[in-house]
Amino acid sequence: MISILSLGCSKNLVDSERLARRFADAGLEVRFTDSLEADGSQYIINTCGFIGDAKEESIGLLLEAIELRKQGGISGVYGMGCLTERYRAELKEEMPELDGIYGKFDWGGLVDGLASKTPVTRPWQRSLSTAPHYTYLKISEGCNRFCAFCAIPLITGRHHSRPVDEILEEVRELVAKGVREYNIIAQDLSSYGRDLEGGVSRLAELLELMAAVEGVEMIRLHYAYPSDFPFDILPVMEAHSNICKYLDIALQHIDNKVLDNMRRHIDADATRALLARIRHEVPGIHIRTTMMVGFPGEDDEAFNRLVEFVEEQRFERLGAFAYCEEEGTFAANNLPDIVPEDVKKQRLDRLMEVQQDIAFDTASAKIGSTLRVIIDEYDGERYIGRTEYDSPEVDCCVFIDSSRPLTTGNIYNVEITDAEGFDLIGHVS
């Protein structure tokens, strides 16, 4: 038995799913898990190395698995992913008990080492770990932006787009298996296609072609970059009902000095103009963004500008985190981390208090409307689903009463009758 425990982001999860498919095609029994168990299996931990907390979690699980192996509870421990890609040499020295260390790109060696036969598997084929009606679709890997705070380019390397035809082939295969919702992911959607023939963004082309595939009922976009934004996707989003009015675009800050220190290649005026154009061309769009507090150069005035910006823009979805210095990045090497940790925490709490009120208002404004909702599960009392404005795991839910049985994975028109904090309540008659 092979057990795969995947940490970090959905991009990591796709790699775990590809690995699982190769094991299955090689004739091995494989499962996904979110915890270690003394079940005698070989454990593969797909690690995250993005920020300090994620690295600590990955290291902690590797150590826990090593201890469980010593006790005879499991038969092997292997590491793969971002942490092992970046710290391979250090982990070999500090954790010699690991049965194997693989990185972000050579994890196929796990199959060569553990399977007795070579699988016949296309590189993009996967065994889904999600519910069968939705998936994450990774269209590129890597990043060329080199933001001052970010270690991703140090781990994943330069941006590399998958060919359009290959992605469409994967989509058609997934549709045939019943997948209806596609959450498109990449480190930088805005750069998709620029490294392919022609050297221009091809995201709009990809969206047009995906939207035309029969059986694709929801397409949602994650992780666009504000600089060099591909504006040609906006009329495509507006034209196709199966492209969700949802855009995940990390802005990080609004103060010009902080943005410059972050090396974000955009200023406050351009950011506001970008948001205004997106909302104008795709009316009703819900924007998810991420903000960072406590970055070098963020004084009280800069933080207040950030709060005012969030109050002004009223983002429908917003997450935030405090700056944590990452070794090897431009900020770690050149910008002293001088904002005290208690100040970072206070600023983070303040920003999220502001956003909580906005999010509650956003939910309440939907009362009385009828929304398309995809059903994720039935908890024994109510159905639980999501609107086009809600990505799996990170966004809100709709709790639904129905006078008739509903089918998981199907999309229904739901009348919204109430709101509970961030979540909605509705019914299907």
Side-chain angles (χ1 to χ4, degrees), residues 1 9-10 55 105 107 122 187-188 193 199 236 264 269 338 384:
M1 164 76 81
C9 65
S10 52
K55 289 190 283 189
F105 305 104
W107 44 261
R122 303 290 295 277
Q187 277 87 10
D188 175 14
V236 179
R264 293 289 287 173
D269 288 344
I338 59 175
I384 303 173

Side-chain angles (χ1 to χ4, degrees), residues 62-295:
L62 288 171
L63 291 172
E64 185 181 344
I66 288 170
E67 185 59 32
L68 192 56
R69 184 180 185 278
K70 289 178 181 178
Q71 297 169 7
I74 60 178
S75 55
V77 184
Y78 299 82
M80 64 175 278
C82 292
L83 182 81
T84 51
E85 177 71 28
R86 191 175 186 195
Y87 300 105
R88 191 184 305 239
E90 293 88 340
L91 289 169
K92 283 182 178 178
E93 182 176 346
E94 297 295 328
M95 298 184 189
E97 303 92 343
L98 287 172
D99 295 284
I101 299 177
Y102 297 82
K104 181 71 178 169
F105 305 104
D106 65 344
W107 44 261
L110 281 159
V111 183
D112 299 333
L114 295 175
S116 59
K117 68 176 184 178
T118 301
V120 181
T121 307
R122 303 290 295 277
W124 43 262
Q125 290 181 309
R126 298 183 271 149
S127 296
L128 296 184
S129 61
T130 57
H133 58 277
Y134 76 83
T135 191
Y136 299 98
L137 186 70
K138 182 159 61 170
I139 66 171
S140 66
E141 190 75 80
C143 184
N144 296 344
R145 303 289 185 168
F146 290 95
C147 297
F149 53 84
C150 186
I152 286 176
L154 305 177
I155 299 168
T156 63
R158 291 283 183 170
H159 181 265
H160 177 72
S161 302
R162 294 176 58 197
V164 171
D165 290 346
E166 178 186 287
I167 296 170
L168 293 174
E169 189 174 359
E170 179 179 6
V171 168
R172 293 187 187 100
E173 182 173 295
L174 290 167
V175 165
K177 294 180 177 180
V179 178
R180 300 182 174 192
E181 175 187 339
Y182 295 81
N183 295 283
I184 298 180
I185 56 173
Q187 277 87 10
D188 175 14
L189 284 184
S190 297
S191 294
Y192 175 73
R194 297 186 192 277
D195 57 318
L196 300 177
E197 185 177 355
V200 297
S201 172
R202 298 183 66 181
L203 185 58
E205 174 192 351
L206 177 64
L207 290 176
E208 283 273 16
L209 293 169
M210 277 189 64
V213 176
E214 186 175 355
V216 173
E217 299 193 29
M218 282 187 172
I219 301 171
R220 195 175 289 109
L221 297 175
H222 285 275
Y223 319 125
Y225 196 90
S227 177
D228 303 316
F229 183 83
F231 287 105
D232 58 346
I233 71 170
L234 299 179
V236 179
M237 294 178 72
E238 176 62 13
H240 294 278
S241 62
N242 58 350
I243 301 180
C244 299
K245 292 186 175 182
Y246 179 106
L247 180 66
D248 190 335
I249 179 168
L251 298 175
Q252 305 300 355
H253 219 282
I254 196 60
D255 179 78
N256 281 333
K257 179 181 179 182
V258 175
L259 287 170
D260 187 55
N261 284 353
M262 288 180 168
R263 305 176 88 185
R264 293 289 287 173
H265 315 295
I266 195 169
D267 63 15
D269 288 344
T271 298
R272 286 186 167 92
L274 167 68
L275 293 170
R277 182 169 175 180
I278 291 171
R279 292 196 185 279
H280 174 72
E281 294 197 30
V282 189
I285 193 170
H286 281 40
I287 295 176
R288 163 169 278 282
T289 193
T290 306
M291 298 297 180
M292 182 188 297
V293 301
F295 191 78

Side-chain angles (χ1 to χ4, degrees), residues 278-342:
I278 291 171
R279 292 196 185 279
H280 174 72
E281 294 197 30
V282 189
I285 193 170
H286 281 40
I287 295 176
R288 163 169 278 282
T289 193
T290 306
M291 298 297 180
M292 182 188 297
V293 301
F295 191 78
E298 186 192 67
D299 54 19
D300 289 340
E301 288 185 3
F303 174 69
N304 288 335
R305 289 190 190 96
L306 176 60
V307 173
E308 291 168 2
F309 175 64
V310 170
E311 291 174 330
E312 161 202 316
Q313 293 291 327
R314 299 187 66 79
F315 296 102
E316 291 81 5
R317 310 283 184 255
L318 182 145
F321 61 100
Y323 170 66
C324 176
E325 189 175 271
E326 285 297 312
E327 61 182 321
T329 60
F330 179 87
N333 294 335
N334 297 277
L335 301 172
D337 184 8
I338 59 175
V339 181
E341 292 302 316
D342 61 331

